[in-house]
């Protein structure tokens, strides 16, 4: 049984295509106020691609559910669920 990983983050660049149609890499910061550790998320599939196309821009907040990426692949998380939600924005609506 694989363990699910949940976290909130901030995109540090626009999503990058990865390996083919409907396959994306999302570079995020989990806690920009601490050490600034970058997490690379791979999201693939038409549903993720549509969501990313509508909502994912540098500075966007997101919630991720996923599993650990393959060791040595450069991918930290394989996304099973992504949410780009206005509730993750600052109270004044600014990102």
């Amino acid at each position: 049984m694989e363990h699910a990983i949940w976290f909130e983050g901030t995109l540090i660049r626009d999503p990058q295509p990865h390996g083919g149609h409907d396959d994306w890499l999302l570079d995020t910061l989990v806690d920009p106020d601490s050490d600034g550790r970058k997490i690379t998320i791979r999201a693939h599939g038409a549903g993720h691609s549509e969501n990313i196309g509508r909502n994912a821009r540098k500075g966007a907040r997101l919630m991720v559910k996923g599993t650990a990426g393959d060791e040595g692949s450069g991918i930290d998380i394989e996304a099973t669920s992504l949410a780009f939600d206005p509730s993750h924005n600052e109270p004044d609506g600014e990102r």
Side-chain angles (χ1 to χ4, degrees):
M1 177 172 82
E2 282 192 85
H3 297 283
I5 300 166
W6 288 86
F7 70 91
E8 278 188 84
T10 302
L11 291 179
I12 58 175
R13 69 175 177 163
D14 287 338
Q16 303 296 306
H18 175 73
H21 185 67
D22 292 336
D23 198 355
W24 298 93
L25 291 181
L26 305 169
D27 286 337
T28 67
L29 288 181
V30 176
D31 183 2
D33 295 329
S34 68
D35 65 2
R37 176 154 161 40
K38 180 183 89 162
I39 302 289
T40 300
I41 302 161
R42 178 176 176 238
H44 60 282
H48 285 312
S49 191
E50 183 179 329
N51 187 12
I52 290 166
R54 278 193 327 265
N55 300 296
R57 304 286 180 274
K58 180 179 177 180
R61 300 284 297 154
L62 73 156
M63 176 82 70
V64 178
K65 177 184 177 189
T67 58
D70 292 332
E71 190 162 335
S73 70
I75 297 168
D76 299 304
I77 307 291
E78 290 281 344
T80 55
S81 181
L82 291 172
F84 299 91
D85 189 318
S87 68
H88 296 308
N89 289 339
E90 298 298 320
D92 62 2
E94 296 295 319
R95 290 183 182 181

